[in-house]
């Protein structure tokens, strides 16, 4: 039995998670909870300090879960790369955004690996969790690791496992969400599966790193393309004079062969708008044009314009130009009940409304302030909602008092059918996407 396998089985293996964000910290907590001495490594010293004080900065991880692990010594934060040398397993969980050119930005993975190289040693297992394009682990990461003279598959073990963390999801956690794992060799896969099975309920081996990378991209491309489809259905229903939400709700009664998605003001977050472009970029290098991804991207990216035009038409019906109108954007987070504004379509809607001369404010209880177009906006109180010429509901947070807002607002553009219960009583002032 390999030394690493023995250390996994007797829980004496040391685990280092590189990147203590919304993926890495929950992973580190599960690893430490399973009995492994675990280090959450991050270059952000404030995160490390909070971890070592038992203070979580990730909403899904409570202090009462983190603190005992830190007190017991099972989990600690570190920013000194020296910790990597004593690790038996290193799990890389750093962000992989897009560049402004819509090309993949894998620089944080490359930087993390450069930091690791001087400490890399025979017998270690490296698992990459950051979303990448198919072939990255095999073509790029493997070569980078082998610059040390060590060989993957001969003493060094390398695998890819797509992250499936859904921030705010209280049903599916790191522990109970099935985890796909693909290694560079069958032995790499076996060791990585063995480690992950110690603290994740269901680990699903696949044939290679490339396969595991593609699984992730299929999952999120599936969402982006279906959201693009349903946004186009909304545009069709508008032309046909049909109620999009009625159509979708009725279609969703089909107990098989259908999965509802819902139109909205656009596509936000750091996964769905990004991941499909990793796939289309890679296919372009193979002279293949991923048309569904491109078309869905166009439709989704066009939704902020659709929303602004609907609002302009509704104001026009009331003989009010957009220019000079006071508009309150209700909800700026990229999806309900979260505080994350990354890629939020609200940012585009605010920019487009301002370009048309509207005076735009926002209210979002999850987002106290917002940097947009070089200025800082702050969330405005709802008390004066009747003073706005229009309210644009972009994010349907659970906490909003929809009946009161419907009663007090002059005009509402509802892009999420959040006012479904108020539409009949206020049909004269609620316009729904
Ligand atoms: N959106 C729509 N209509 C829909 C669904 C989403 O307009 O029917 C919009 C949302 O408002 C948001 C964007 O799309 O702006 C993305 O929404 P999302 O529900 O996909 O949420 P994310 O970005 O947090 O996606 C994550 C993903 N998780 C991982 O990549 C590990 C995704 O795979 C999950 O399916 C998703 O969470 C989830 O189900 O919550």
């Amino acid at each position: 039995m390999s030394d690493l396998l023995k250390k996994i089985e007797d829980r004496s293996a040391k685990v280092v998670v590189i990147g203590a964000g919304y993926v890495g910290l929950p992973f580190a907590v599960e690893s430490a909870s399973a009995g492994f001495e675990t280090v959450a490594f991050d270059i952000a010293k404030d995160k490390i300090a909070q971890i070592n004080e038992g203070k979580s900065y990730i909403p899904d991880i409570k202090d009462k879960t983190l603190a005992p692990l830190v007190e017991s010594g099972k989990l600690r934060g570190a920013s000194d790369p020296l910790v990597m040398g004593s690790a038996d397993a290193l799990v890389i969980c750093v962000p992989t955004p897009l560049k402004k050119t819509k090309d993949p930005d894998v620089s944080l993975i490359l930087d993390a690996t450069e930091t690791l190289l001087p400490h890399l040693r025979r017998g270690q297992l490296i698992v990459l969790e950051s979303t990448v394009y198919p072939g990255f682990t095999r073509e790029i990461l493997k070569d980078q690791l082998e610059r040390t003279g060590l060989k993957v598959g001969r003493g060094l073990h390398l695998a890819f496992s797509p992250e499936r963390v859904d921030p705010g999801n209280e049903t599916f956690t790191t522990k109970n969400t099935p985890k796909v794992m693909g290694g560079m060799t069958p032995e790499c896969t076996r060791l990585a599966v063995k480690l992950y099975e110690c603290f994740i309920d269901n680990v699903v081996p696949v044939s290679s790193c490339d396969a595991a990378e593609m699984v992730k991209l299929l999952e999120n491309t599936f969402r982006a393309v279906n959201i693009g489809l349903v946004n186009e259905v909304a545009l069709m229903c508008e032309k046909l004079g049909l109620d999009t939400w009625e159509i979708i709700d009725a279609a969703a009664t089909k107990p098989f062969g259908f999965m509802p998605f819902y139109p909205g003001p656009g596509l936000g977050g750091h996964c769905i708008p990004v991941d499909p472009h990793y796939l289309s970029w890679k296919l372009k290098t193979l002279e293949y044009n991923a048309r569904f991804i491109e078309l869905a991207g166009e439709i989704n990216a066009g939704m902020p314009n659709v929303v602004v035009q609907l609002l302009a038409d509704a104001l026009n019906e009331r003989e009010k130009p957009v220019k000079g109108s006071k508009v309150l954007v209700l909800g700026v987070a990229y999806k309900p009940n979260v505080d994350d504004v990354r890629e939020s379509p609200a940012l585009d809607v605010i920019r487009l409304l301002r370009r048309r001369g509207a005076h735009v404010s926002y209210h979002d209880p999850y987002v106290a302030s917002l940097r947009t177009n070089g200025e800082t906006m702050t969330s405005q109180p709802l008390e004066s909602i009747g003073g706005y010429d229009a309210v644009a509901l972009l994010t349907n947070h659970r906490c909003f008092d929809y009946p009161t807002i419907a009663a007090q607002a002059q005009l509402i553009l509802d892009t999420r059918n959040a006012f479904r219960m108020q539409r009949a009583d206020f049909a004269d002032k609620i316009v729904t996407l």
Side-chain angles (χ1 to χ4, degrees):
M1 178 188 292
S2 82
D3 187 34
L4 179 55
L5 190 55
K6 199 165 62 61
K7 287 182 165 181
I8 290 171
E9 297 209 334
D10 67 17
R11 300 293 193 277
S12 63
K14 291 184 177 60
V15 177
V16 170
V17 181
I18 302 176
Y22 80 95
V23 175
L25 186 59
F27 185 99
V29 164
E30 294 301 345
S31 166
S33 301
F36 292 102
E37 186 184 330
T38 303
V39 175
F41 175 92
D42 204 294
I43 54 175
K45 292 199 170 25
D46 59 322
K47 284 183 178 166
I48 300 312
Q50 289 187 75
I51 291 171
N52 291 331
E53 289 161 15
K55 296 265 180 284
S56 172
Y57 45 84
I58 300 287
D60 293 347
I61 298 294
K62 306 300 176 223
D63 292 357
K64 67 178 187 322
T65 305
L66 179 63
L69 293 170
V70 174
E71 279 151 31
S72 69
K74 274 298 173 199
L75 176 58
R76 68 185 176 90
S79 52
D80 181 344
L82 275 177
V83 298
M84 298 180 185
S86 58
D88 297 295
L90 299 112
V91 181
I92 303 174
C93 307
V94 296
T96 45
L98 286 176
K99 296 177 185 165
K100 287 270 176 270
T101 53
K102 287 262 187 236
D103 292 341
D105 178 357
V106 293
S107 59
L108 291 177
I109 300 176
L110 302 178
D111 293 349
T113 310
E114 284 303 321
T115 304
L116 165 59
L117 289 187
H119 312 284
L120 202 65
R121 59 176 175 77
R122 187 176 171 74
Q124 285 179 322
L125 164 66
I126 293 93
V127 182
L128 176 61
E129 294 224 349
S130 309
T131 302
V132 289
Y133 53 81
F136 174 85
T137 304
R138 172 175 50 82
E139 294 163 355
I140 309 295
L141 185 54
K142 174 176 176 286
D143 288 359
Q144 197 181 4
L145 293 169
E146 291 185 335
R147 282 200 337 241
T148 59
L150 293 167
K151 287 299 282 176
V152 171
R154 287 214 299 278
L156 202 54
H157 314 288
L158 178 60
F160 180 83
S161 180
E163 64 92 354
R164 282 179 167 174
V165 175
D166 182 27
N169 192 325
E170 289 162 11
T171 306
F172 295 109
T173 64
T174 296
K175 180 168 176 31
N176 69 7
T177 300
K179 200 80 166 58
V180 169
M181 180 67 74
M184 279 305 302
T185 68
E187 177 64 2
C188 295
T189 306
R190 193 168 74 89
L191 284 167
V193 167
K194 205 77 185 158
L195 172 65
Y196 275 55
E197 279 179 337
C198 295
F199 43 85
I200 291 179
D201 298 346
N202 178 6
V203 183
V204 181
V206 292
S207 59
S208 65
C209 296
D210 297 49
E213 291 159 342
M214 185 62 182
V215 165
K216 169 73 177 186
L217 297 175
L218 171 59
E219 288 168 7
N220 284 357
T221 300
F222 166 77
R223 285 187 76 75
V225 169
N226 277 286
I227 293 164
L229 169 65
V230 81
N231 279 329
E232 182 160 55
V233 165
L235 302 179
M236 296 177 193
C237 285
E238 204 263 338
K239 296 282 181 221
L240 293 165
L242 292 173
D243 176 345
T244 310
W245 307 87
E246 176 196 12
I247 305 303
I248 295 167
D249 287 348
T253 61
K254 183 179 179 189
F256 51 84
F258 183 79
M259 176 179 183
F261 285 85
Y262 300 94
L267 203 55
H270 48 283
C271 301
I272 308 306
V274 173
D275 299 352
H277 292 285
Y278 271 70
L279 182 55
S280 57
W281 176 86
K282 172 66 181 180
L283 270 298
K284 275 200 185 86
T285 69
L286 302 172
E287 292 168 16
Y288 182 85
N289 179 23
R291 287 160 292 172
F292 274 109
I293 293 173
E294 301 300 327
L295 178 58
E298 278 170 39
I299 291 172
N300 291 327
M303 291 311 289
N305 277 299
V306 170
V307 165
V308 168
Q309 190 52 54
L310 280 174
L311 188 61
D313 295 346
L315 283 167
N316 192 49
E317 283 299 307
R318 287 156 183 76
E319 297 176 1
K320 289 184 179 178
V322 175
K323 190 176 173 68
S325 286
K326 287 179 65 185
V327 178
L328 180 72
V329 168
L330 205 45
V332 293
Y334 81 87
K335 72 175 185 179
N337 316 316
V338 300
D339 61 1
D340 194 339
V341 294
R342 281 177 289 185
E343 303 291 322
S344 174
L347 302 175
D348 296 316
V349 170
I350 290 169
R351 176 173 49 79
L352 292 167
L353 282 171
R354 283 182 160 170
R355 193 185 291 170
R356 291 191 181 205
H359 302 297
V360 189
S361 308
Y362 84 90
H363 170 79
D364 189 321
Y366 290 87
V367 183
S369 66
L370 186 65
R371 283 290 293 166
T372 174
N373 294 344
E375 79 157 275
T376 300
M377 300 173 74
T378 54
S379 179
Q380 296 304 302
L382 277 182
E383 283 65 34
S384 52
I385 197 164
Y388 292 93
D389 298 300
V391 171
L393 184 287
L394 302 186
T395 311
N396 46 326
H397 290 310
R398 196 179 302 119
C399 63
F400 283 149
D401 178 353
Y402 291 102
T404 302
I405 294 167
Q408 294 177 356
Q410 294 182 46
L411 166 64
I412 296 171
L413 173 63
D414 182 0
T415 69
R416 301 288 187 178
N417 199 27
F419 291 90
R420 63 176 62 78
M421 304 304 285
Q422 288 76 39
R423 276 168 75 174
D425 293 341
F426 298 99
D428 61 322
K429 64 176 173 177
I430 295 179
V431 175
T432 306
L433 175 65

